[in-house]
Amino acid sequence: MAQDSVTVIDNRTGRSYEIPIVDGTVRAMDFRQIKVSSDDFGLMVYDPAFTNTASCRSSITYIDGERGILEYRGYPIDQLAEHSTFLEAAYLVIYGELPTRAQLDQWTRNITYHTYVHENIKRFMAGYNYDAHPMGILVGTTAALSTFYPDAKDVDDPQSREMQTWRLLAKMPTIAAYAFRHSHGLPYVYPDNDLSYTGNFLSMLWKMSEPQYKPNPVLEHALDVLFILHADHEQNCSANAMRSVGSSRPDPYSATAAATAALYGPLHGGANEAVIRMLLQIGDKKNVPEFIRHVKAGERKLMGFGHRIYKSYDPRAKIIKRTAYEVFEIAGRNPLIDVALELERAALEDEYFIERKLYPNVDFYSGIIYQALGFSMEMFPVLFAIARTAGWLAQWREMITDPEQKIARPRQVYTGLRRRDFVPIEERGKVAVA
Ligand code: SDX
């Protein structure tokens, strides 16, 4: 068996180099020794958007994109969706093991205890326009939380990391619900600590004049399953933002605000909102062939389809599709499901999508459920952010305690102009700039 290494021959010098292979990777720094002269900086590796670059070693989430496998700490996502709750799955993602009954009870108490936010958050939130997008409110308010907890700056103190973990998991639903109520001109509803994590969130969203909100157990469970499915997804765009911002050691609220901002994008967590807008625009399944033509012409993207890692059906999409029918039983059938099913059928049979390995991802069906649950489209990425806070915290904690990690600072290939002398303003515009 050949040694775990690659031999690189630099054809510029004829010299060869032995580069070790570890865990299926070669270290980028091992290429810096490849030079043409002693003052040569050495080779870098160029990988825009990190399509083939491992930025860290992680034991949180395992994905096999070809086989459509997703595991949190080794537990298959379909088993967690069937048997677990979001708080239990969040514990698993963060601490690495399923909690004992005593651990889960203590974890639930710790989070329940921190569901309230400082009253000043209300005044802060009042500054947003009534029609402010709730993701914009979530980004800003999450960052503002860092000003209420100066102790959070001590990221090297394990107890401080615990406290901020509880606070963030507990307060994201509260802020999200406040943002929703703000945009509907409704009074804020305080957390009801007698309810489950998801039940309390529904209460803060929907409670009106009744003494206590009673969540529908089927809808409460469906949303909890959706939260489990969205808890983590290894080094996705927003997890990378959490790690990269977190690597300069700010407090975790600032890093979480950056991760939330990354998730806001329509190519990432904003896709579930974009899918519904797309389905509404298509309107009826008879219009699907024309829409597919626009996609294949490169004029439109089939939102909710495709994935950097999954080159097969996203396992989460299968579970979400199944869960949709449980919600429809209670909340009524969302007619957009018919357009979505026809879009999926047409795409999965079409060479354009087959050769590009484009399948439904987590966002393709989630919006249909959220809409059936009564959420406005703008809230869809907010729901994603609540659940992914567990994964962001797990990734952040792993990065902070990883001795191999330090401040993230990529290199570049410089393509600009080199040294030229300053030009007085009266002489500018006379000579064409190269
Ligand atoms: C999430 O990373 C994660 O894990 C994310 C996530 C998580 O849990 O954190 O899974 C959540 O963000 C899911 C993805 C949600 N986004 C969307 O549904 C938006 C639509 N999808 C695309 O924008 C795209 O598929 C991405 C962004 C998801 C992945 O993009 P890649 O890996 O950079 O792929 P690519 O853009 O290089 O596409 C390869 C080819 C291209 O065609 P060619 O130029 O080779 O001819 O596939 C085409 C693309 O044009 N393509 C699509 C398409 N996605 C890719 N064509 C039409 N519709 C699409 N949706």
Side-chain angles (χ1 to χ4, degrees), residues 233 236-237 266-269 271 295 300-308 311 316 352-353 356 358 361-363 384 388:
H233 213 240
N236 57 83
C237 179
L267 295 187
H268 190 13
V295 171
R300 298 292 304 275
K301 272 192 183 292
L302 178 46
M303 301 309 279
F305 257 66
H307 201 278
R308 177 63 58 77
K311 301 309 172 190
R316 300 167 296 177
Y352 177 93
F353 299 91
R356 290 171 177 78
L358 301 177
N361 60 47
V362 67
D363 291 303
F384 197 147
R388 188 53 59 87

mmCIF file of all heavy atoms in Angstrom, residues 233 236-237 266-269 271 295 300-308 311 316 352-353 356 358 361-363 384 388, ligand 1:
data_model
loop_
_atom_site.group_PDB
_atom_site.id
_atom_site.type_symbol
_atom_site.label_atom_id
_atom_site.label_comp_id
_atom_site.label_asym_id
_atom_site.label_seq_id
_atom_site.Cartn_x
_atom_site.Cartn_y
_atom_site.Cartn_z
ATOM 1 N N HIS A 233 -25.677 22.055 10.168
ATOM 2 C CA HIS A 233 -25.402 21.467 8.846
ATOM 3 C C HIS A 233 -23.947 21.660 8.462
ATOM 4 O O HIS A 233 -23.624 22.104 7.367
ATOM 5 C CB HIS A 233 -26.326 22.049 7.780
ATOM 6 C CG HIS A 233 -26.666 21.035 6.727
ATOM 7 N ND1 HIS A 233 -26.361 21.204 5.402
ATOM 8 C CD2 HIS A 233 -27.261 19.829 6.827
ATOM 9 C CE1 HIS A 233 -26.752 20.145 4.725
ATOM 10 N NE2 HIS A 233 -27.305 19.298 5.563
ATOM 11 N N ASN A 236 -21.721 25.199 6.605
ATOM 12 C CA ASN A 236 -22.500 26.015 5.681
ATOM 13 C C ASN A 236 -22.096 27.478 5.817
ATOM 14 O O ASN A 236 -21.305 27.840 6.680
ATOM 15 C CB ASN A 236 -23.982 25.831 5.989
ATOM 16 C CG ASN A 236 -24.279 26.179 7.427
ATOM 17 O OD1 ASN A 236 -24.460 27.329 7.767
ATOM 18 N ND2 ASN A 236 -24.259 25.166 8.289
ATOM 19 N N CYS A 237 -22.641 28.321 4.954
ATOM 20 C CA CYS A 237 -22.236 29.725 4.874
ATOM 21 C C CYS A 237 -22.335 30.429 6.228
ATOM 22 O O CYS A 237 -21.420 31.129 6.654
ATOM 23 C CB CYS A 237 -23.094 30.416 3.822
ATOM 24 S SG CYS A 237 -22.742 32.155 3.629
ATOM 25 N N PRO A 266 -30.680 35.013 0.092
ATOM 26 C CA PRO A 266 -31.597 34.107 -0.624
ATOM 27 C C PRO A 266 -30.933 32.818 -1.111
ATOM 28 O O PRO A 266 -31.608 31.844 -1.410
ATOM 29 C CB PRO A 266 -32.092 34.939 -1.804
ATOM 30 C CG PRO A 266 -31.094 36.022 -1.966
ATOM 31 C CD PRO A 266 -30.532 36.290 -0.579
ATOM 32 N N LEU A 267 -29.607 32.802 -1.138
ATOM 33 C CA LEU A 267 -28.954 31.551 -1.551
ATOM 34 C C LEU A 267 -28.778 30.601 -0.373
ATOM 35 O O LEU A 267 -28.376 29.455 -0.558
ATOM 36 C CB LEU A 267 -27.586 31.844 -2.183
ATOM 37 C CG LEU A 267 -27.597 32.636 -3.485
ATOM 38 C CD1 LEU A 267 -26.202 32.697 -4.086
ATOM 39 C CD2 LEU A 267 -28.573 32.045 -4.502
ATOM 40 N N HIS A 268 -29.070 31.077 0.824
ATOM 41 C CA HIS A 268 -28.874 30.270 2.046
ATOM 42 C C HIS A 268 -30.212 30.170 2.774
ATOM 43 O O HIS A 268 -31.164 29.649 2.216
ATOM 44 C CB HIS A 268 -27.768 30.918 2.888
ATOM 45 C CG HIS A 268 -27.279 30.113 4.050
ATOM 46 N ND1 HIS A 268 -27.548 28.795 4.242
ATOM 47 C CD2 HIS A 268 -26.501 30.493 5.100
ATOM 48 C CE1 HIS A 268 -26.964 28.379 5.367
ATOM 49 N NE2 HIS A 268 -26.323 29.385 5.907
ATOM 50 N N GLY A 269 -30.316 30.698 3.946
ATOM 51 C CA GLY A 269 -31.551 30.530 4.711
ATOM 52 C C GLY A 269 -32.715 31.331 4.159
ATOM 53 O O GLY A 269 -33.871 31.065 4.500
ATOM 54 N N ALA A 271 -33.701 31.177 1.286
ATOM 55 C CA ALA A 271 -34.255 30.443 0.133
ATOM 56 C C ALA A 271 -35.678 29.984 0.399
ATOM 57 O O ALA A 271 -36.507 29.934 -0.519
ATOM 58 C CB ALA A 271 -33.371 29.242 -0.190
ATOM 59 N N VAL A 295 -35.672 28.502 -16.306
ATOM 60 C CA VAL A 295 -34.540 28.056 -15.472
ATOM 61 C C VAL A 295 -33.436 27.488 -16.361
ATOM 62 O O VAL A 295 -32.265 27.843 -16.234
ATOM 63 C CB VAL A 295 -35.014 26.999 -14.455
ATOM 64 C CG1 VAL A 295 -33.822 26.367 -13.746
ATOM 65 C CG2 VAL A 295 -35.949 27.628 -13.416
ATOM 66 N N ARG A 300 -33.745 32.065 -14.613
ATOM 67 C CA ARG A 300 -34.268 31.959 -13.253
ATOM 68 C C ARG A 300 -33.560 30.821 -12.532
ATOM 69 O O ARG A 300 -33.042 29.904 -13.183
ATOM 70 C CB ARG A 300 -35.781 31.639 -13.275
ATOM 71 C CG ARG A 300 -36.678 32.658 -13.924
ATOM 72 C CD ARG A 300 -36.716 33.935 -13.116
ATOM 73 N NE ARG A 300 -37.115 33.706 -11.733
ATOM 74 C CZ ARG A 300 -38.410 33.648 -11.344
ATOM 75 N NH1 ARG A 300 -39.383 33.739 -12.220
ATOM 76 N NH2 ARG A 300 -38.703 33.489 -10.081
ATOM 77 N N LYS A 301 -33.532 30.862 -11.230
ATOM 78 C CA LYS A 301 -33.062 29.717 -10.444
ATOM 79 C C LYS A 301 -34.290 28.997 -9.903
ATOM 80 O O LYS A 301 -35.304 29.622 -9.581
ATOM 81 C CB LYS A 301 -32.214 30.185 -9.259
ATOM 82 C CG LYS A 301 -30.729 30.359 -9.565
ATOM 83 C CD LYS A 301 -29.940 30.521 -8.277
ATOM 84 C CE LYS A 301 -28.473 30.778 -8.558
ATOM 85 N NZ LYS A 301 -27.799 29.597 -9.143
ATOM 86 N N LEU A 302 -34.188 27.672 -9.821
ATOM 87 C CA LEU A 302 -35.238 26.901 -9.172
ATOM 88 C C LEU A 302 -34.927 26.905 -7.673
ATOM 89 O O LEU A 302 -34.171 26.077 -7.166
ATOM 90 C CB LEU A 302 -35.264 25.472 -9.733
ATOM 91 C CG LEU A 302 -36.272 24.492 -9.141
ATOM 92 C CD1 LEU A 302 -37.654 25.107 -9.015
ATOM 93 C CD2 LEU A 302 -36.329 23.229 -9.991
ATOM 94 N N MET A 303 -35.465 27.896 -6.981
ATOM 95 C CA MET A 303 -35.146 28.073 -5.560
ATOM 96 C C MET A 303 -35.597 26.846 -4.776
ATOM 97 O O MET A 303 -36.608 26.240 -5.071
ATOM 98 C CB MET A 303 -35.825 29.328 -5.010
ATOM 99 C CG MET A 303 -35.413 30.610 -5.730
ATOM 100 S SD MET A 303 -33.618 30.807 -5.863
ATOM 101 C CE MET A 303 -33.238 31.452 -4.247
ATOM 102 N N GLY A 304 -34.780 26.475 -3.774
ATOM 103 C CA GLY A 304 -35.088 25.274 -3.005
ATOM 104 C C GLY A 304 -34.514 24.025 -3.638
ATOM 105 O O GLY A 304 -34.681 22.925 -3.118
ATOM 106 N N PHE A 305 -33.833 24.217 -4.775
ATOM 107 C CA PHE A 305 -33.169 23.087 -5.441
ATOM 108 C C PHE A 305 -31.662 23.316 -5.442
ATOM 109 O O PHE A 305 -31.200 24.458 -5.480
ATOM 110 C CB PHE A 305 -33.653 22.979 -6.890
ATOM 111 C CG PHE A 305 -34.645 21.869 -7.116
ATOM 112 C CD1 PHE A 305 -35.910 21.924 -6.529
ATOM 113 C CD2 PHE A 305 -34.333 20.769 -7.910
ATOM 114 C CE1 PHE A 305 -36.832 20.900 -6.735
ATOM 115 C CE2 PHE A 305 -35.253 19.746 -8.115
ATOM 116 C CZ PHE A 305 -36.507 19.816 -7.531
ATOM 117 N N GLY A 306 -30.920 22.229 -5.447
ATOM 118 C CA GLY A 306 -29.459 22.312 -5.530
ATOM 119 C C GLY A 306 -28.832 22.461 -4.171
ATOM 120 O O GLY A 306 -29.461 22.910 -3.210
ATOM 121 N N HIS A 307 -27.572 22.056 -4.098
ATOM 122 C CA HIS A 307 -26.856 22.135 -2.826
ATOM 123 C C HIS A 307 -25.367 21.940 -3.086
ATOM 124 O O HIS A 307 -24.975 21.174 -3.944
ATOM 125 C CB HIS A 307 -27.364 21.046 -1.862
ATOM 126 C CG HIS A 307 -27.079 21.341 -0.440
ATOM 127 N ND1 HIS A 307 -25.868 21.082 0.137
ATOM 128 C CD2 HIS A 307 -27.837 21.915 0.518
ATOM 129 C CE1 HIS A 307 -25.885 21.454 1.399
ATOM 130 N NE2 HIS A 307 -27.077 21.974 1.668
ATOM 131 N N ARG A 308 -24.548 22.655 -2.309
ATOM 132 C CA ARG A 308 -23.109 22.514 -2.470
ATOM 133 C C ARG A 308 -22.656 21.092 -2.105
ATOM 134 O O ARG A 308 -21.742 20.554 -2.711
ATOM 135 C CB ARG A 308 -22.408 23.536 -1.566
ATOM 136 C CG ARG A 308 -20.894 23.489 -1.553
ATOM 137 C CD ARG A 308 -20.282 23.812 -2.899
ATOM 138 N NE ARG A 308 -20.662 25.114 -3.413
ATOM 139 C CZ ARG A 308 -20.154 26.254 -2.992
ATOM 140 N NH1 ARG A 308 -19.279 26.272 -2.002
ATOM 141 N NH2 ARG A 308 -20.539 27.395 -3.525
ATOM 142 N N LYS A 311 -25.613 15.969 -3.520
ATOM 143 C CA LYS A 311 -25.800 15.713 -4.959
ATOM 144 C C LYS A 311 -26.813 14.578 -5.100
ATOM 145 O O LYS A 311 -26.793 13.809 -6.027
ATOM 146 C CB LYS A 311 -24.450 15.372 -5.600
ATOM 147 C CG LYS A 311 -23.406 16.487 -5.446
ATOM 148 C CD LYS A 311 -23.943 17.842 -5.896
ATOM 149 C CE LYS A 311 -22.999 18.994 -5.586
ATOM 150 N NZ LYS A 311 -23.628 20.339 -5.805
ATOM 151 N N ARG A 316 -33.387 15.938 4.689
ATOM 152 C CA ARG A 316 -34.306 16.786 5.466
ATOM 153 C C ARG A 316 -35.561 17.095 4.650
ATOM 154 O O ARG A 316 -36.657 17.200 5.184
ATOM 155 C CB ARG A 316 -33.588 18.064 5.883
ATOM 156 C CG ARG A 316 -32.356 17.849 6.741
ATOM 157 C CD ARG A 316 -31.535 19.103 6.853
ATOM 158 N NE ARG A 316 -30.996 19.519 5.559
ATOM 159 C CZ ARG A 316 -30.278 20.629 5.383
ATOM 160 N NH1 ARG A 316 -30.045 21.429 6.398
ATOM 161 N NH2 ARG A 316 -29.800 20.944 4.191
ATOM 162 N N TYR A 352 -31.356 18.587 -17.571
ATOM 163 C CA TYR A 352 -30.650 19.773 -17.057
ATOM 164 C C TYR A 352 -30.373 19.607 -15.572
ATOM 165 O O TYR A 352 -29.273 19.857 -15.089
ATOM 166 C CB TYR A 352 -31.482 21.039 -17.287
ATOM 167 C CG TYR A 352 -30.868 22.303 -16.726
ATOM 168 C CD1 TYR A 352 -30.057 23.119 -17.511
ATOM 169 C CD2 TYR A 352 -31.079 22.681 -15.394
ATOM 170 C CE1 TYR A 352 -29.483 24.277 -16.997
ATOM 171 C CE2 TYR A 352 -30.507 23.827 -14.872
ATOM 172 C CZ TYR A 352 -29.710 24.620 -15.674
ATOM 173 O OH TYR A 352 -29.140 25.761 -15.158
ATOM 174 N N PHE A 353 -31.379 19.147 -14.825
ATOM 175 C CA PHE A 353 -31.248 19.027 -13.372
ATOM 176 C C PHE A 353 -30.520 17.741 -13.003
ATOM 177 O O PHE A 353 -29.734 17.717 -12.056
ATOM 178 C CB PHE A 353 -32.636 19.089 -12.726
ATOM 179 C CG PHE A 353 -33.361 20.383 -12.999
ATOM 180 C CD1 PHE A 353 -34.193 20.508 -14.109
ATOM 181 C CD2 PHE A 353 -33.159 21.487 -12.188
ATOM 182 C CE1 PHE A 353 -34.829 21.707 -14.387
ATOM 183 C CE2 PHE A 353 -33.801 22.698 -12.460
ATOM 184 C CZ PHE A 353 -34.625 22.810 -13.563
ATOM 185 N N ARG A 356 -26.792 18.092 -13.501
ATOM 186 C CA ARG A 356 -26.199 18.983 -12.491
ATOM 187 C C ARG A 356 -26.455 18.484 -11.070
ATOM 188 O O ARG A 356 -26.089 19.136 -10.096
ATOM 189 C CB ARG A 356 -26.746 20.392 -12.671
ATOM 190 C CG ARG A 356 -26.238 21.089 -13.926
ATOM 191 C CD ARG A 356 -26.964 22.381 -14.197
ATOM 192 N NE ARG A 356 -26.416 23.061 -15.365
ATOM 193 C CZ ARG A 356 -26.671 22.727 -16.622
ATOM 194 N NH1 ARG A 356 -27.499 21.696 -16.879
ATOM 195 N NH2 ARG A 356 -26.132 23.380 -17.628
ATOM 196 N N LEU A 358 -29.185 18.293 -9.317
ATOM 197 C CA LEU A 358 -29.992 19.271 -8.566
ATOM 198 C C LEU A 358 -31.245 18.585 -8.032
ATOM 199 O O LEU A 358 -32.075 18.097 -8.796
ATOM 200 C CB LEU A 358 -30.369 20.446 -9.461
ATOM 201 C CG LEU A 358 -29.194 21.220 -10.062
ATOM 202 C CD1 LEU A 358 -29.697 22.321 -10.989
ATOM 203 C CD2 LEU A 358 -28.312 21.811 -8.978
ATOM 204 N N ASN A 361 -33.784 20.719 -1.755
ATOM 205 C CA ASN A 361 -33.023 20.845 -0.511
ATOM 206 C C ASN A 361 -33.982 21.189 0.625
ATOM 207 O O ASN A 361 -35.201 21.217 0.434
ATOM 208 C CB ASN A 361 -31.908 21.881 -0.654
ATOM 209 C CG ASN A 361 -32.439 23.266 -0.992
ATOM 210 O OD1 ASN A 361 -33.384 23.744 -0.378
ATOM 211 N ND2 ASN A 361 -31.869 23.897 -2.003
ATOM 212 N N VAL A 362 -33.431 21.480 1.767
ATOM 213 C CA VAL A 362 -34.252 21.659 2.987
ATOM 214 C C VAL A 362 -35.274 22.780 2.805
ATOM 215 O O VAL A 362 -36.326 22.782 3.420
ATOM 216 C CB VAL A 362 -33.349 21.965 4.204
ATOM 217 C CG1 VAL A 362 -32.663 23.333 4.045
ATOM 218 C CG2 VAL A 362 -34.110 21.873 5.508
ATOM 219 N N ASP A 363 -34.974 23.726 1.909
ATOM 220 C CA ASP A 363 -35.840 24.905 1.789
ATOM 221 C C ASP A 363 -37.009 24.707 0.833
ATOM 222 O O ASP A 363 -37.897 25.556 0.757
ATOM 223 C CB ASP A 363 -35.000 26.104 1.325
ATOM 224 C CG ASP A 363 -34.037 26.538 2.413
ATOM 225 O OD1 ASP A 363 -34.512 26.837 3.526
ATOM 226 O OD2 ASP A 363 -32.814 26.519 2.166
ATOM 227 N N PHE A 384 -35.654 29.522 10.654
ATOM 228 C CA PHE A 384 -34.410 28.803 10.369
ATOM 229 C C PHE A 384 -33.330 29.251 11.371
ATOM 230 O O PHE A 384 -32.613 28.446 11.961
ATOM 231 C CB PHE A 384 -33.971 29.142 8.930
ATOM 232 C CG PHE A 384 -32.952 28.219 8.319
ATOM 233 C CD1 PHE A 384 -32.955 27.955 6.958
ATOM 234 C CD2 PHE A 384 -31.961 27.627 9.080
ATOM 235 C CE1 PHE A 384 -32.010 27.114 6.374
ATOM 236 C CE2 PHE A 384 -30.996 26.800 8.520
ATOM 237 C CZ PHE A 384 -31.032 26.543 7.163
ATOM 238 N N ARG A 388 -31.037 27.134 13.945
ATOM 239 C CA ARG A 388 -29.605 27.037 13.638
ATOM 240 C C ARG A 388 -28.723 27.688 14.699
ATOM 241 O O ARG A 388 -27.521 27.426 14.738
ATOM 242 C CB ARG A 388 -29.359 27.698 12.252
ATOM 243 C CG ARG A 388 -27.981 27.519 11.679
ATOM 244 C CD ARG A 388 -27.493 26.073 11.611
ATOM 245 N NE ARG A 388 -28.303 25.169 10.832
ATOM 246 C CZ ARG A 388 -28.174 24.980 9.527
ATOM 247 N NH1 ARG A 388 -27.286 25.665 8.852
ATOM 248 N NH2 ARG A 388 -28.926 24.115 8.878
HETATM 249 C C1 SDX B 1 -29.304 26.039 2.429
HETATM 250 O O1 SDX B 1 -24.553 24.778 2.836
HETATM 251 C C2 SDX B 1 -25.561 24.330 3.459
HETATM 252 O O2 SDX B 1 -25.498 23.286 4.096
HETATM 253 C C3 SDX B 1 -26.820 25.186 3.393
HETATM 254 C C4 SDX B 1 -28.059 24.589 4.049
HETATM 255 C C5 SDX B 1 -27.912 24.504 5.536
HETATM 256 O O3 SDX B 1 -28.629 23.685 6.147
HETATM 257 O O4 SDX B 1 -27.160 25.332 6.125
HETATM 258 O O5 SDX B 1 -28.307 23.288 3.514
HETATM 259 C C6 SDX B 1 -29.287 25.466 3.796
HETATM 260 O O6 SDX B 1 -28.819 27.138 2.239
HETATM 261 C C7 SDX B 1 -29.853 25.218 1.306
HETATM 262 C C8 SDX B 1 -29.660 25.891 -0.091
HETATM 263 C C9 SDX B 1 -30.770 26.944 -0.250
HETATM 264 N N1 SDX B 1 -30.564 27.741 -1.447
HETATM 265 C C10 SDX B 1 -31.327 27.604 -2.535
HETATM 266 O O7 SDX B 1 -32.216 26.767 -2.653
HETATM 267 C C11 SDX B 1 -31.034 28.609 -3.641
HETATM 268 C C12 SDX B 1 -30.996 27.900 -4.982
HETATM 269 N N2 SDX B 1 -29.838 27.010 -5.019
HETATM 270 C C13 SDX B 1 -28.638 27.513 -5.674
HETATM 271 O O8 SDX B 1 -28.419 28.885 -5.529
HETATM 272 C C14 SDX B 1 -27.438 26.606 -5.468
HETATM 273 O O9 SDX B 1 -27.838 25.320 -5.736
HETATM 274 C C15 SDX B 1 -26.704 26.626 -4.150
HETATM 275 C C16 SDX B 1 -26.318 27.996 -3.760
HETATM 276 C C17 SDX B 1 -27.532 26.002 -3.084
HETATM 277 C C18 SDX B 1 -25.432 25.771 -4.325
HETATM 278 O O10 SDX B 1 -24.692 26.436 -5.255
HETATM 279 P P1 SDX B 1 -23.271 25.864 -5.732
HETATM 280 O O11 SDX B 1 -22.859 24.655 -4.986
HETATM 281 O O12 SDX B 1 -22.334 27.015 -5.756
HETATM 282 O O13 SDX B 1 -23.599 25.343 -7.183
HETATM 283 P P2 SDX B 1 -23.413 26.194 -8.454
HETATM 284 O O14 SDX B 1 -24.040 27.533 -8.290
HETATM 285 O O15 SDX B 1 -21.978 26.117 -8.851
HETATM 286 O O16 SDX B 1 -24.327 25.374 -9.504
HETATM 287 C C19 SDX B 1 -23.805 24.326 -10.294
HETATM 288 C C20 SDX B 1 -24.659 24.359 -11.573
HETATM 289 C C21 SDX B 1 -24.671 25.718 -12.259
HETATM 290 O O17 SDX B 1 -24.971 25.478 -13.627
HETATM 291 P P3 SDX B 1 -23.803 25.696 -14.711
HETATM 292 O O18 SDX B 1 -23.248 27.105 -14.491
HETATM 293 O O19 SDX B 1 -22.776 24.627 -14.388
HETATM 294 O O20 SDX B 1 -24.480 25.519 -16.042
HETATM 295 O O21 SDX B 1 -26.029 24.100 -11.223
HETATM 296 C C22 SDX B 1 -26.810 25.253 -11.547
HETATM 297 C C23 SDX B 1 -25.846 26.419 -11.680
HETATM 298 O O22 SDX B 1 -26.390 27.396 -12.546
HETATM 299 N N3 SDX B 1 -27.724 25.445 -10.426
HETATM 300 C C24 SDX B 1 -29.001 25.762 -10.542
HETATM 301 C C25 SDX B 1 -29.491 25.813 -9.245
HETATM 302 N N4 SDX B 1 -28.512 25.539 -8.383
HETATM 303 C C26 SDX B 1 -27.414 25.315 -9.116
HETATM 304 N N5 SDX B 1 -29.761 26.003 -11.651
HETATM 305 C C27 SDX B 1 -31.059 26.308 -11.404
HETATM 306 N N6 SDX B 1 -31.588 26.362 -10.159
HETATM 307 C C28 SDX B 1 -30.856 26.133 -9.075
HETATM 308 N N7 SDX B 1 -31.404 26.195 -7.863
#
